[in-house]
C-alpha cells in the first residue's frame, strides 16, 4: 500500500431488515471511518445471506467470494451484530466463519488488523454478553479488538433517519471507527518503514 492509497475498512453486520438499528450503527461508524480518510465497504442486509459455511462442502457463491476478497484486502474491520438470545446473530457468525478461507494467507484470518465491535440489543444483559462473545471471536481470529466496543441498548429508540439520537451513542460509534483507522494507519506505516 502506498502513501496515496487509502486505508480499506470493511464493515460486516446488521440484519436482513432494511434500516435495522445494527446496520444503521455500522453505517454511522463506516461514515466516520470515511471522514478519517479510509475507503469503506459494507457487507450487510441481503449480502449476509450466505450459504452455511461448511469447509468440507464449500459452496461457490458470489456474495461469499466478495466477502472473503474484501476481508483479504482490508486494513481494518468493523463488525456489528444484534444480540440474539445473548449472542451474535447466526448471519454474522456465519459470515465470520468464512474467514476460514483465509487460514493459509500471508495474513491469516484477521492477523494484524484492528477490529471494532458494535452490538445492538434490547437490553443491557444481551449487549454485554454479545459484546464479550464478539471480542472473543475476534481474538480467536487473531484480530486486535479495539479498546472501545460500542454497546447500544435498543430497548428505546436510538436512531432516526440514519442518525444516532443520543450524542453518546454517536460518540461511541465514531470512537470505534477512529480506533480502527488509527491502528490501521500505524500498522501500515510500521510495515512500510521496515
Amino acid at each position: 500500500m502506498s502513501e496515496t492509497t487509502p486505508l480499506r475498512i470493511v464493515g460486516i453486520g446488521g440484519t436482513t431488515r432494511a434500516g435495522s438499528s445494527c446496520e444503521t450503527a455500522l453505517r454511522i461508524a463506516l461514515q466516520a471511518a470515511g471522514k478519517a480518510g479510509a475507503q469503506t465497504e459494507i457487507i450487510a442486509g441481503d449480502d449476509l445471506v450466505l450459504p452455511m459455511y461448511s469447509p468440507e462442502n464449500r459452496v461457490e457463491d458470489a456474495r461469499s467470494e466478495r466477502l472473503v476478497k474484501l476481508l483479504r484486502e482490508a486494513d481494518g474491520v468493523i463488525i456489528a451484530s444484534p444480540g440474539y438470545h445473548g449472542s451474535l446473530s447466526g448471519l454474522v457468525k456465519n459470515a465470520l466463519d468464512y474467514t476460514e478461507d483465509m487460514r493459509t494467507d500471508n495474513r491469516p484470518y484477521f492477523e494484524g488488523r484492528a477490529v471494532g465491535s458494535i452490538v445492538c440489543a434490547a437490553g443491557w444483559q444481551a449487549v454485554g454478553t454479545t459484546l464479550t462473545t464478539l471480542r472473543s471471536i475476534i481474538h480467536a481470529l487473531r484480530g486486535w479488538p479495539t479498546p472501545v466496543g460500542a454497546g447500544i441498548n435498543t430497548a428505546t429508540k436510538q436512531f432516526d433517519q440514519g442518525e444516532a439520537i443520543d450524542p453518546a451513542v454517536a460518540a461511541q460509534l465514531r470512537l470505534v471507527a477512529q480506533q480502527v483507522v488509527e491502528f490501521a494507519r500505524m500498522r501500515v506505516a510500521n510495515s512500510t518503514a521496515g
Side-chain angles (χ1 to χ4, degrees), residues 1-174:
M1 180 170 144
S2 72
E3 289 184 28
T4 59
T5 305
L7 296 171
R8 295 163 303 222
I9 308 298
V10 175
I12 303 170
T15 70
T16 55
R17 184 174 50 83
S20 70
S21 295
C22 197
E23 184 178 331
T24 300
L26 179 59
R27 288 186 183 280
I28 291 169
L30 289 174
Q31 183 179 39
K35 286 181 180 176
Q39 174 186 332
T40 64
E41 293 279 348
I42 188 169
I43 304 288
D46 288 339
D47 290 336
L48 286 171
V49 182
L50 305 168
M52 286 300 293
Y53 185 77
S54 174
E56 69 280 353
N57 190 22
R58 182 73 164 80
V59 175
E60 297 299 319
D61 174 76
R63 287 179 283 202
S64 62
E65 298 301 322
R66 176 177 176 256
L67 168 69
V68 173
K69 178 183 182 300
L70 289 174
L71 289 175
R72 280 186 168 128
E73 297 170 351
D75 297 301
V77 180
I78 301 174
I79 303 168
S81 180
Y84 287 169
H85 308 116
S87 193
L88 278 68
S89 73
L91 287 172
V92 172
K93 178 61 171 80
N94 188 50
L96 293 175
D97 287 345
Y98 275 89
T99 61
E100 188 62 22
D101 288 0
M102 301 162 60
R103 71 187 170 280
T104 59
D105 291 3
N106 286 337
R107 288 191 315 161
Y109 307 108
F110 291 151
E111 178 81 29
R113 296 171 182 93
V115 184
S117 305
I118 300 170
V119 171
C120 295
W124 287 117
Q125 181 175 352
V127 168
T129 58
T130 305
L131 189 58
T132 299
T133 301
L134 181 53
R135 292 171 69 83
S136 293
I137 291 169
I138 293 165
H139 273 286
L141 293 174
R142 303 182 192 179
W144 296 45
T146 56
V148 171
I152 304 166
N153 184 346
T154 57
T156 59
K157 186 175 179 178
Q158 295 293 332
F159 302 99
D160 186 35
Q161 298 181 9
E163 299 294 329
I165 296 169
D166 183 346
V169 169
Q172 277 187 69
L173 296 171
R174 283 192 307 270

